[in-house]
Amino acid sequence: MIHPLMESIATALYIGKNILTEELLNELCAQLKTVMIADTKVADLYGIKISKLLNTQLLTLPSGEKAKTKEIQEEVIDALFKMGAGKDTALIALGGGATTDLVAFVASIYMRGIPLILIPTTLLAMVDGAIGKTAINTSFGKNLIGTIYHPKAVLVSVETLETLPEQEWFNGLAEILKMGLIYDPDICPLVQKNRKDPELIVQAIKGKISIVEQDPLERHLRRILNFGHTIGHGLEGISHYEIPHGQAVAIGSLVEAHLSMSLGYFSEKEFEEIQELYNVFSLHLHNTYHRQHLLKALSYDKKSIDGKIRFVLIDKIGHALPFGGMYCRPVSLDELEPSLVWMEKNYG
Amino acid sequence: MIHPLMESIATALYIGKNILTEELLNELCAQLKTVMIADTKVADLYGIKISKLLNTQLLTLPSGEKAKTKEIQEEVIDALFKMGAGKDTALIALGGGATTDLVAFVASIYMRGIPLILIPTTLLAMVDGAIGKTAINTSFGKNLIGTIYHPKAVLVSVETLETLPEQEWFNGLAEILKMGLIYDPDICPLVQKNRKDPELIVQAIKGKISIVEQDPLERHLRRILNFGHTIGHGLEGISHYEIPHGQAVAIGSLVEAHLSMSLGYFSEKEFEEIQELYNVFSLHLHNTYHRQHLLKALSYDKKSIDGKIRFVLIDKIGHALPFGGMYCRPVSLDELEPSLVWMEKNYG
């Protein structure tokens, strides 16, 4: 007896300037109670104002990746129980990727899932974090606990970027460039012209949605989003999240492009083009970097099978190799070594 | 811009005698690594044998509802990381409802979801727990943390019931009778004839699947599965899970049928018929019962809105009231009181 269960899930996506109006928020939250959750920095900048508009309670989180722990997750859950939040309570996550990841994870497990609205306020969260992803970190690595869960709505209000620190622009840019390398060949030329072009946000979000729609359960194509992140997550973990995500992903993308080249898939000419694009970053490994720590961290990567590390690889700018639908390939330590040596020489 | 994401999920259900063969298990787990997780009692009875058949590792859990905590969940997750379990590792949960709930929850959050096979070995887990449900308990109440997650397969091998203690039969029977009250009028006459008829298992599973298929995300109809559980979960929580689930749900079902009657929806004649069916149980409240504790616990129920308790109610044997698609109705403390008095008088 086979019993298929069909589920249909719709996420509404709003992008524009100054879209966080009382009208839109009230429409989205009609007949729901709401709790807004923001990190302390974003709460000061926007959270207090928006929570007043909505007449909702505001919970604050410590800011940054270090807040994405099971301890903070439990604190948020306990606070929700104590305020009597039920299945009719929508969580509104306001902030960067750490906030949207953590709040989305809480929404997905609280009473088997409650409504969720994401308002990403960093370029990184807009182009990457906020779409179809929930996660917390563990002592074994980054984003290793999480669910597949779809928010009711994602609101990208670009004026929130006006207060964004320069470093945060680079965090987002690393993900935008990644999308350019794996999926959308139009992105890299746009970055070359103007790396702050708002069109880049739309283009990167479109790419991500297109990939997630084709593979909502992360079984094949969606793996390509992990390009640059095998090395990137490893570098973040061993720095105890002191290296910014954008730095780690930028270095990771270059190393994995180098690996694609050294395995014979990707041309030297295009690798040189890429290196030029990444010149706007000032990249360097964290001062605690050791190759052995990185290799240990890589063995816990979500794509690993039988302890063998697998990498997403590209064969040209804008295209990841399908490898028979697996979209990644095991790489031996011998094969990986030249790319790590290259990284250590250039950024060590 | 609206972006609908479609997901299609298939659970294979196998019911029969002696179906736990090497052939079936290997077929289901082809190309996957496996980790079997069983409670200590079931591990001794079946787990060691089956894990040898499959040549898989066996993790054991403490037995019973008290194991369904975040601490045990974290221990299992840490053990999985340490043994290098990845996205290609299937978890096989073998045991009662506490084991299937906990392992299913772990499978749903480990690396955003890994394959899951459930082998329920109690009547309760077969007819209720193992289908579309994952959960752990919190200090605020039972099953308050969990996800919607679908196993790859559920294997119901009825010979495992031969070693089932008599009390466990009653735990399952309480859920079978609940299905009879809310959805399938054929069940109660079957119970009256022979409460151990294996056909009852098939009938109850069919009812549950039919309901879950109509409402996989627990938004409307699926709420009726909660009949008897508003009071039942409350009684369990305040006894610190010392009262067996079947006792709690049997008392809960009677109280909620009494409530349906006292609110004018359900006939006295049918209420008397029901009472007779429940005579096979020897029902009594736990010796720590206090009405005030129960009322406090009820306010945390998943169906509560604005602190108002809501109940699933029936208007005849085999039919729950739809209440405009909500499938539950707020009940004031004054309305509830006569039914609590009736319960305390009969089972106190």
Side-chain angles (χ1 to χ4, degrees), chain A residues 115-154:
Chain A
L116 171 68
I117 292 169
L118 298 178
I119 309 179
T121 59
T122 64
L123 186 59
L124 176 60
M126 288 175 183
V127 299
D128 183 46
I131 296 153
K133 175 159 163 283
T134 95
I136 60 171
N137 302 325
T138 78
S139 59
F140 294 93
K142 186 171 167 162
N143 288 351
L144 287 179
I145 296 295
T147 51
I148 304 280
Y149 194 68
H150 300 288
K152 202 175 148 65
V154 178

Side-chain angles (χ1 to χ4, degrees), chain B residues 133 245 300:
Chain B
K133 174 161 165 279
H245 186 66
Y300 289 117

Side-chain angles (χ1 to χ4, degrees), chain A residues 1-15 33 70 74 77-78 81-82 84 86-88 105 108-113 132-135 138-140 143-148 150 209 212-213 216-219 222-223 300-307, chain B residues 1-15 33 70 74 77-78 81-82 84 86-88 105 108-113 133-135 138-140 143-148 150 206 209 212-213 216-219 222-223 300-307:
Chain A
M1 255 204 284
I2 303 282
H3 286 278
L5 299 176
M6 291 295 294
E7 296 183 323
S8 135
I9 294 141
T11 295
L13 176 65
Y14 298 81
I15 311 181
K33 287 190 290 180
K70 65 169 190 273
E74 284 163 16
I77 284 178
D78 282 359
F81 281 123
K82 282 180 191 151
K87 294 277 275 184
D88 62 328
F105 182 59
S108 74
I109 66 170
Y110 190 81
M111 297 189 175
R112 290 192 207 139
K133 175 159 163 283
T134 95
T138 78
S139 59
F140 294 93
N143 288 351
L144 287 179
I145 296 295
T147 51
I148 304 280
H150 300 288
I209 287 174
V212 171
E213 277 182 340
L217 296 181
E218 213 166 12
R219 285 180 180 159
R222 191 164 163 174
R223 258 186 211 133
Y300 290 117
D301 184 83
K302 284 202 288 286
K303 295 182 301 311
S304 291
I305 290 189
D306 286 332
Chain B
M1 260 205 283
I2 303 281
H3 287 275
L5 298 176
M6 291 295 293
E7 296 183 324
S8 134
I9 294 141
T11 295
L13 176 65
Y14 298 81
I15 311 182
K33 287 190 291 182
K70 67 170 188 272
E74 284 164 15
I77 284 178
D78 281 0
F81 281 123
K82 282 180 192 150
K87 293 277 277 184
D88 63 327
F105 182 58
S108 73
I109 66 170
Y110 190 80
M111 296 189 174
R112 289 192 208 138
K133 174 161 165 279
T134 95
T138 78
S139 58
F140 295 93
N143 289 351
L144 287 180
I145 296 295
T147 50
I148 304 280
H150 300 287
K206 277 189 185 161
I209 288 174
V212 171
E213 278 183 339
L217 297 180
E218 213 167 12
R219 285 180 180 157
R222 191 165 164 173
R223 259 187 211 131
Y300 289 117
D301 185 83
K302 285 202 285 289
K303 297 183 300 309
S304 291
I305 288 190
D306 286 332

Side-chain angles (χ1 to χ4, degrees), chain B residues 1 6 33 48 57 61 68 79 115 135 154 189 197 213 244 250 278:
Chain B
M1 260 205 283
M6 291 295 293
K33 287 190 291 182
I48 295 169
Q57 296 196 66
L61 300 176
K68 249 170 72 180
V154 179
D197 184 350
E213 278 183 339
Y278 282 87

Side-chain angles (χ1 to χ4, degrees), chain B residues 215 219-224 321-328:
Chain B
D215 178 21
R219 285 180 180 157
H220 34 89
L221 179 65
R222 191 165 164 173
R223 259 187 211 131
I224 68 173
L321 281 150
F323 292 117
M326 295 299 286
Y327 291 97
C328 61

Side-chain angles (χ1 to χ4, degrees), chain A residues 34-235:
Chain A
T34 51
V35 176
M36 177 167 281
I37 306 179
D39 81 34
T40 45
K41 278 189 209 163
V42 179
D44 286 344
L45 284 167
Y46 304 101
I48 296 169
K49 198 182 110 202
I50 300 174
S51 62
K52 275 190 189 146
L53 269 185
L54 254 178
N55 194 18
T56 189
Q57 295 196 65
L58 177 65
L59 282 181
T60 58
L61 300 176
S63 74
E65 195 64 27
K66 284 187 182 174
K68 249 170 73 181
T69 63
K70 65 169 190 273
E71 288 76 18
I72 304 273
Q73 168 222 313
E74 284 163 16
E75 276 175 34
V76 172
I77 284 178
D78 282 359
L80 291 174
F81 281 123
K82 282 180 191 151
M83 60 176 68
K87 294 277 275 184
D88 62 328
T89 302
L91 299 189
I92 303 175
L94 176 77
T99 302
T100 55
D101 279 359
L102 175 94
V103 175
F105 182 59
V106 167
S108 74
I109 66 170
Y110 190 81
M111 297 189 175
R112 290 192 207 139
I114 57 176
L116 171 68
I117 292 169
L118 298 178
I119 309 179
T121 59
T122 64
L123 186 59
L124 176 60
M126 288 175 183
V127 299
D128 183 46
I131 296 153
K133 175 159 163 283
T134 95
I136 60 171
N137 302 325
T138 78
S139 59
F140 294 93
K142 186 171 167 162
N143 288 351
L144 287 179
I145 296 295
T147 51
I148 304 280
Y149 194 68
H150 300 288
K152 202 175 148 65
V154 178
L155 314 186
V156 175
S157 202
V158 291
E159 83 287 354
T160 56
L161 296 176
E162 285 161 18
T163 52
L164 200 67
E166 189 70 4
Q167 175 56 53
E168 278 297 332
W169 272 98
F170 286 110
N171 283 336
L173 186 61
E175 295 291 350
I176 291 172
L177 280 171
K178 176 199 77 179
M179 188 60 75
L181 297 186
I182 58 170
Y183 196 68
D184 181 350
D186 295 342
I187 285 179
C188 291
L190 279 174
V191 172
Q192 212 148 22
K193 263 197 251 160
N194 171 13
R195 66 177 173 83
K196 292 204 174 180
D197 183 349
E199 184 52 34
L200 279 167
I201 301 174
V202 176
Q203 205 74 8
I205 292 178
K206 276 189 187 162
K208 173 117 189 207
I209 287 174
S210 164
I211 292 167
V212 171
E213 277 182 340
Q214 289 172 69
D215 178 20
L217 296 181
E218 213 166 12
R219 285 180 180 159
H220 34 89
L221 179 66
R222 191 164 163 174
R223 258 186 211 133
I224 68 173
L225 294 172
N226 219 255
F227 183 81
H229 287 65
T230 314
I231 296 292
H233 281 170
L235 293 175

Side-chain angles (χ1 to χ4, degrees), chain B residues 7 11 24 31 41 88-89 115 118 201 259 263 277 305 308 336:
Chain B
E7 296 183 324
T11 295
L24 176 61
Q31 308 197 329
K41 279 189 209 163
D88 63 327
T89 302
L118 298 178
I201 301 174
L259 180 64
L263 293 174
L277 279 173
I305 288 190
K308 261 191 216 135
L336 179 59

